[in-house]
Amino acid sequence: MKIRIPTIEPRDYQVPFLKAFDAGKQYSVISWHRRAGKDVTSFNAMVKRAIQTPGNYYYLFPTRAWAQRALWDNICEWAGGQKLVDLCCPKEIVRRKNNSDFFLDLINGSRIKIDGTDNLNFVGQGGSGYVLSEFSLHKEEVSGFLAPILTEGSAFVIFNGTLRGKSNHLWRLYDNNKDRKDWYTQWYTLEDTKTAYWVGDGICINPELAGKINPYDGKKFKNIQDDVDSGIISYAMARQEYLNEAVSQVENSYYGHELEILRNEGRFGNTVGSGPVYTFWDLGTSDATSIVFAQIVDGSPYIIDYYESTGKKIEDYAVVINSRNYKYGGHFAPHDVSKRMLFGDLVTKAKEVGIDFRRVPKTNSVLQDIEICRRSLRKVHIHTRCQDFIEHLDSYREGSSGRPIHDAHSHGADAFRTMVMAMHLNLVSPYLGAGLEIKLPDSVGQAEAYADDMFIQQDSKPLWKRMRNL
């Protein structure tokens, strides 16, 4: 029996890279947009080399869990439910398959190891070839660990991924080596691959594909705008992933496009939802503390109020919370709430004055959280009294480091992120029962020492006096 490698027929636009690789290019950078087949093509190239030349080969993702999900356990519906690994490495060429350590021993003695670079297991092993998938998300020192191996031997390395801006090592590799003869570099967008089209939101790419059948999968070509409209992906992330732009966000604003949609749809108004009010916090130390007040109606947040201030104690914010006269369902703070505001055990102190915080756990990536926030903005309603908050969201932007800029606008945006992630993690439900009871300062002098903006005047009587009479 003859086995043809690669077993998966390459698409037309994948062939130039495979030819260059077969011709002996040691270094390759292939930056292709989402769903263009970066991993299928890279793994096919590795398998072909491994069956030709015995050696140890490493296919590496940013984490081991990512490696298992994206490659080892990846099931291909288009191939009758077979696993991608089994499709690329048919049983006729495999001597042993280890499902716990994620490696394949081939019949010629080669071993293909699938892993993550988070544990650095590949360091010191020596290899004949490496693929670093989604390289922009790997730790930056990874390529440094590989450099001696590549310099001393003839091992190949393939770096793949979407560019995700210019503040990462994938972009630098591409930009530094795009004109070097010993490197193969390739940057693909939808216009290059003709695998989908995008018509809408001021974008018109491959419109001739609308209504036609994709020869690669037998289905109609997809309009990326459909996913943007449905909220599956944000506009900015779609540009990054499908247009493979070397900028992470449009004009560096994380939420600008989605906020413009809210304006056009009339969702900045005076609507107030029903049910309890929840507060979502970003707690400052020397900088601002921000509080978003929202009701959740059928899964959609109605942001009805916003407050921020600097240098106040938790007792001060308790007065602010009570002054709104809302019935509260709960209060949500970031995971590090106990360490914030330099007032000792903030959770205990807050509870003493009636603010029973629930923590929102830390997640893996701020930038991933921001993408979830973008998608969630499609469902948000914001009251017109929250103009400062809207300005903060509009001005929340990416810096030259590729990370959010920490400035006067970031605190309100972080409080918004607390809200979205609390909802995303299904944490938001009323737990305060009959509502919040704020405990007041023990002395009039102590209350009068609070900042003026903590008090609401009514019939010339300060708020704390009115509250004592309740």
Side-chain angles (χ1 to χ4, degrees):
M1 175 183 291
K2 290 185 178 180
I3 302 295
R4 182 181 181 275
I5 303 293
T7 56
I8 300 174
E9 188 70 26
R11 299 176 178 181
D12 292 344
Y13 59 84
Q14 297 166 349
V15 171
F17 158 69
L18 291 173
K19 284 185 175 180
F21 181 78
D22 287 343
K25 289 289 185 182
Q26 184 179 6
Y27 304 99
S28 301
V29 178
I30 54 171
S31 180
W32 298 355
H33 64 79
R34 182 187 289 195
R35 311 306 299 170
K38 297 183 292 291
D39 282 317
V40 172
T41 306
S42 300
F43 193 56
N44 272 336
M46 175 174 280
V47 171
K48 183 177 179 180
R49 183 67 60 85
I51 200 64
Q52 291 173 329
T53 307
N56 293 316
Y57 297 84
Y58 295 87
Y59 203 104
L60 303 170
F61 288 82
T63 67
R64 178 178 171 85
W66 194 333
Q68 180 178 2
R69 181 184 69 253
L71 188 52
W72 192 264
D73 289 341
N74 189 350
I75 294 175
C76 303
E77 295 181 1
W78 47 268
Q82 293 186 69
K83 287 188 175 181
L84 179 59
V85 166
D86 297 331
L87 283 171
C88 295
C89 296
K91 61 183 180 180
E92 289 82 2
I93 69 169
V94 176
R95 181 173 60 83
R96 179 187 177 197
K97 180 181 179 183
N98 188 304
N99 284 306
S100 58
D101 290 331
F102 309 152
F103 67 79
L104 297 156
D105 287 338
L106 304 188
I107 56 176
N108 68 336
S110 286
R111 173 170 289 188
I112 299 176
K113 173 71 172 172
I114 297 170
D115 208 343
T117 56
D118 51 335
N119 52 28
L120 298 180
N121 285 341
F122 67 95
V123 176
Q125 298 297 314
S128 299
Y130 298 83
V131 174
L132 285 93
S133 183
E134 296 297 347
F135 184 59
S136 63
L137 301 178
H138 285 257
K139 295 178 181 178
E140 193 157 5
E141 62 266 27
V142 166
S143 57
F145 287 124
L146 280 179
I149 301 171
L150 299 173
T151 301
E152 294 170 6
S154 57
F156 70 82
V157 60
I158 301 169
F159 304 94
N160 77 35
T162 51
L163 288 176
R164 301 177 186 272
K166 294 184 178 180
S167 301
N168 63 73
H169 25 293
L170 179 62
W171 163 258
R172 287 192 290 273
L173 276 179
Y174 173 83
D175 193 47
N176 290 340
N177 299 291
K178 60 187 177 183
D179 297 322
R180 295 182 61 177
K181 293 182 179 180
D182 53 338
W183 282 69
Y184 181 83
T185 59
Q186 195 173 57
W187 180 356
Y188 274 162
T189 73
L190 279 181
E191 290 182 279
D192 300 306
T193 65
K194 304 292 184 183
T195 52
Y197 67 102
W198 190 348
V199 176
D201 275 344
I203 295 178
C204 186
I205 296 173
N206 303 335
E208 71 279 5
L209 302 181
K212 295 183 179 179
I213 300 298
N214 188 334
Y216 298 126
D217 59 17
K219 299 178 181 179
K220 284 187 176 181
F221 283 102
K222 184 180 187 62
N223 186 5
I224 304 304
Q225 185 65 38
D226 293 338
D227 284 351
V228 174
D229 292 340
S230 69
I232 292 175
I233 190 171
S234 71
Y235 173 81
M237 181 61 78
R239 292 195 67 142
Q240 173 184 296
E241 293 296 298
Y242 288 102
L243 303 191
N244 198 18
E245 293 183 323
V247 292
S248 296
Q249 284 78 33
V250 179
E251 298 178 350
N252 291 337
S253 172
Y254 286 114
Y255 302 131
H257 177 76
E258 284 73 22
L259 289 169
E260 187 61 29
I261 290 175
L262 295 192
R263 291 186 183 95
N264 293 337
E265 293 180 351
R267 280 192 281 147
F268 294 160
N270 299 316
T271 304
V272 176
S274 59
V277 173
Y278 300 91
T279 64
F280 304 92
W281 299 59
D282 177 62
L283 294 153
T285 50
S286 59
D287 49 10
T289 287
S290 300
I291 309 171
V292 168
F293 299 75
Q295 295 167 298
I296 312 299
V297 182
D298 295 329
S300 294
Y302 285 71
I303 297 173
I304 61 172
D305 214 338
Y306 177 73
Y307 180 86
E308 73 173 49
S309 189
T310 304
K312 303 297 190 296
K313 296 183 178 180
I314 193 63
E315 295 91 337
D316 303 325
Y317 293 107
V319 174
V320 172
I321 293 292
N322 200 79
S323 73
R324 266 46 179 182
N325 292 319
Y326 299 135
K327 180 179 178 180
Y328 293 98
H331 306 285
F332 295 87
H335 65 97
D336 58 350
V337 56
S338 296
K339 303 176 183 178
R340 307 303 293 171
M341 298 176 70
L342 304 180
F343 300 131
D345 184 354
L346 179 58
V347 174
T348 300
K349 286 183 175 291
K351 202 164 187 176
E352 288 174 357
V353 295
I355 301 179
D356 186 4
F357 278 128
R358 293 290 186 268
R359 290 181 177 88
V360 178
K362 184 178 181 179
T363 55
N364 292 329
S365 166
V366 171
L367 295 180
Q368 289 178 12
D369 293 353
I370 289 172
E371 169 60 11
I372 293 171
C373 288
R374 285 196 192 114
R375 299 199 302 262
S376 299
L377 263 170
R378 292 297 185 101
K379 301 189 294 184
V380 172
H381 299 257
I382 305 178
H383 200 283
T384 52
R385 69 166 67 99
C386 304
Q387 288 301 318
D388 288 347
F389 172 68
I390 295 171
E391 181 181 350
H392 292 328
L393 289 185
D394 228 349
S395 301
Y396 188 50
R397 63 199 191 281
E398 179 192 47
S400 59
S401 67
R403 308 287 294 178
I405 293 175
H406 183 80
D407 60 9
H409 302 293
S410 62
H411 308 294
D414 286 342
F416 173 69
R417 180 156 54 92
T418 299
M419 180 191 78
V420 171
M421 296 313 298
M423 295 180 63
H424 181 71
L425 297 171
N426 296 317
L427 302 178
V428 181
S429 61
Y431 61 84
L432 291 179
L436 177 70
E437 178 184 352
I438 294 292
K439 296 182 180 179
L440 299 174
D442 293 332
S443 68
V444 172
Q446 185 177 354
E448 288 175 338
Y450 290 172
D452 291 340
D453 64 313
M454 290 291 164
F455 300 122
I456 296 178
Q457 302 292 330
Q458 180 174 323
D459 300 327
S460 300
K461 186 182 293 186
L463 171 65
W464 58 266
K465 288 185 177 180
R466 291 189 285 113
M467 292 170 68
R468 281 195 169 185
N469 294 329
L470 292 179

